[in-house]
């Protein structure tokens, strides 16, 4: 088992570019991760990395060994999943990613309940509003809100997720309440936008009597963190386009007010993505089924 751990450390160090990052990803200290790499090099009798004070890159033999190590770990994982399928009892680590809002408000509350139901499991969550690469980041499952573009992964829809446009009463008193979608394009209004590096062209879509309407909205500032947009809206700085569950408590309290209720954003998909090879893994199947049964995105 120590050798397998060394292989896992080695592959993550190659993928993440540092011993510290590779160890942290596997919940190991840098000292332990470094020890595993040294033990592997000693066992193989070769140097697997070129080390400088600023970089860590695999040697030529390290690159070759990495390809074989990944295949070996995948084979072992497939074998374990095949054996687990006979008992259908979830066990092991589930590495999950989700958007910040959905992760905090929908997925995170379900995790302790799932682990209580299946004590042999562990759930490691990574929350981010940025697009993640499941394979490169060593993740098992990615929840999403929207329309994913990666066709190499298995998609499972969980439910439709209503969206709303809203702003604070103070903002609406100062700037006026928009009455039509075109009002959002006025310089009088500030649309709070979720953006991140390499994000696509930004627009909002509203449902109108004539069908979906795409609006090239603009704002004076944006962020890559959904909760920052909510905080700005609460502070009176603009109009935000959010999943209803994300702002439900603020709508109920009156701190945010829904606008353009006759032309709302269309519902978006709440679902999850996972590699096809994970279909036979009981822990993934049970976790997804558990979320589908208990998740509430209605707000």
């Amino acid at each position: 088992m120590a050798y397998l751990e060394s292989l896992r450390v080695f592959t993550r160090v190659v993928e993440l570019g540092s011993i510290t990052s590779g160890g942290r990803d596997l919940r190991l200290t840098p000292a332990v991760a470094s020890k595993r790499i040294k033990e592997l090099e000693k066992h193989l009798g070769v140097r697997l990395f070129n080390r400088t004070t600023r970089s860590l890159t695999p040697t030529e033999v390290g690159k070759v060994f990495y390809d074989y190590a990944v295949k070996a770990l995948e084979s072992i994982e497939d074998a374990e999943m095949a054996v687990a399928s006979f008992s259908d009892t979830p066990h092991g680590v589930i590495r999950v990613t989700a958007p910040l809002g959905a992760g905090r408000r929908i997925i995170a509350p379900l995790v302790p309940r799932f682990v209580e139901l299946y004590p042999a499991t562990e759930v490691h969550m990574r929350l981010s509003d940025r697009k993640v690469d499941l394979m490169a980041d060593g993740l098992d499952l990615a929840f999403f809100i929207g329309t994913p573009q990666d066709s190499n992964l298995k998609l499972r829809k969980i439910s439709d997720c209503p969206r709303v446009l809203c702003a604070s009463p103070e903002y609406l008193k100062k700037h006026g309440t928009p009455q039509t979608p075109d009002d959002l394009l006025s310089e009088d209004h500030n649309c709070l936008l979720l953006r991140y590096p390499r994000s696509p062209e930004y627009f909002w879509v509203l449902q109108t009597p004539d069908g979906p309407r795409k609006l090239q909205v603009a704002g004076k500032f944006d962020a890559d963190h959904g909760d920052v947009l909510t905080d700005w809206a609460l502070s009176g700085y603009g109009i935000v386009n959010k999943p209803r569950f994300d702002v439900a408590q603020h709508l109920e309290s009156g701190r945010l007010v829904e606008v353009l209720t006759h032309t709302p954003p269309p519902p978006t998909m709440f679902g999850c993505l996972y590699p096809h090879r994970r279909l036979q893994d009981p822990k993934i199947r049970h976790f997804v089924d558990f979320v589908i049964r208990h998740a509430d995105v209605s707000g």
Side-chain angles (χ1 to χ4, degrees):
M1 297 302 290
Y3 185 72
L4 287 180
E5 183 180 81
S6 295
L7 287 182
R8 292 190 178 97
V9 172
F10 167 70
T11 57
R12 293 309 284 153
V13 169
V14 171
E15 291 158 357
L16 299 178
S18 79
I19 289 177
T20 299
S21 297
R24 183 187 300 119
D25 188 70
L26 296 171
R27 296 192 171 186
L28 300 174
T29 65
V32 172
S34 179
K35 180 181 178 182
R36 292 287 180 263
I37 296 297
K38 291 177 180 177
E39 289 174 347
L40 192 58
E41 289 180 324
K42 182 179 180 180
H43 174 77
L44 296 171
V46 296
R47 184 162 50 88
L48 295 171
F49 290 100
N50 290 316
R51 298 168 173 84
T52 69
T53 55
R54 294 187 177 182
S55 67
L56 183 76
T57 57
T59 61
E60 285 302 313
V61 68
K63 293 176 183 177
V64 171
F65 186 67
Y66 169 80
D67 292 336
Y68 283 100
V70 168
K71 293 176 183 177
L73 290 172
E74 287 181 349
S75 295
I76 292 170
E77 199 170 74
D78 289 341
E80 290 178 341
M81 286 190 292
V83 171
S85 66
F86 282 94
S87 65
D88 202 40
T89 301
H91 72 276
V93 176
I94 307 172
R95 294 177 175 85
V96 178
T97 185
L100 289 159
R104 290 178 59 189
R105 295 172 181 84
I106 298 175
I107 308 300
L110 299 179
V111 167
R113 294 166 57 187
F114 179 81
V115 174
E116 286 178 1
L117 188 61
Y118 301 107
T121 63
E122 297 180 22
V123 178
H124 299 176
M125 287 191 65
R126 183 182 302 174
L127 304 184
S128 174
D129 282 329
R130 299 190 181 202
K131 182 179 178 180
V132 299
D133 186 326
L134 264 73
M135 307 306 291
D137 292 339
L139 299 167
D140 300 310
L141 185 64
F143 292 94
F144 67 87
I145 292 178
T147 304
Q149 299 177 348
D150 195 334
S151 60
N152 295 321
L153 299 171
K154 178 69 175 179
L155 183 152
R156 189 164 180 185
K157 179 179 177 180
I158 297 175
S159 67
D160 287 322
C161 180
R163 298 189 71 93
V164 298
L165 299 181
C166 54
S168 71
E170 294 76 17
Y171 174 89
L172 297 176
K173 182 178 180 180
K174 181 177 181 180
H175 297 274
T177 300
Q179 301 298 316
T180 70
D182 285 321
D183 290 343
L184 296 177
L185 305 178
S186 165
E187 292 183 359
D188 293 334
H189 286 294
N190 188 47
C191 296
L192 303 172
L193 309 180
L194 181 69
R195 292 185 191 265
Y196 46 88
R198 297 179 295 280
S199 61
E201 180 184 12
Y202 204 91
F203 57 87
W204 285 354
V205 176
L206 301 186
Q207 301 179 90
T208 75
D210 298 322
R213 171 92 183 274
K214 179 193 269 190
L215 298 171
Q216 301 288 344
V217 294
K220 295 182 178 179
F221 33 86
D222 55 56
D224 65 354
H225 191 310
D227 283 354
V228 170
L229 303 186
T230 301
D231 290 343
W232 283 340
L234 289 167
S235 299
Y237 293 123
I239 299 173
V240 70
N241 181 342
K242 299 284 288 185
R244 182 176 289 277
F245 74 82
D246 222 1
V247 292
Q249 61 177 324
H250 304 307
L251 293 172
E252 186 176 347
S253 69
R255 295 186 66 198
L256 291 177
V257 177
E258 188 173 354
V259 300
L260 293 178
T261 56
H262 55 295
T263 56
T268 190
M269 184 193 305
F270 175 56
C272 61
L273 295 167
Y274 47 97
H276 285 267
R277 58 192 295 271
R278 295 293 186 185
L279 287 173
Q280 61 179 316
D281 192 335
K283 67 176 181 286
I284 303 300
R285 186 172 66 252
H286 280 273
F287 186 74
V288 173
D289 289 343
F290 186 84
V291 172
I292 289 175
R293 287 196 304 272
H294 299 288
D296 180 10
V297 298
S298 64

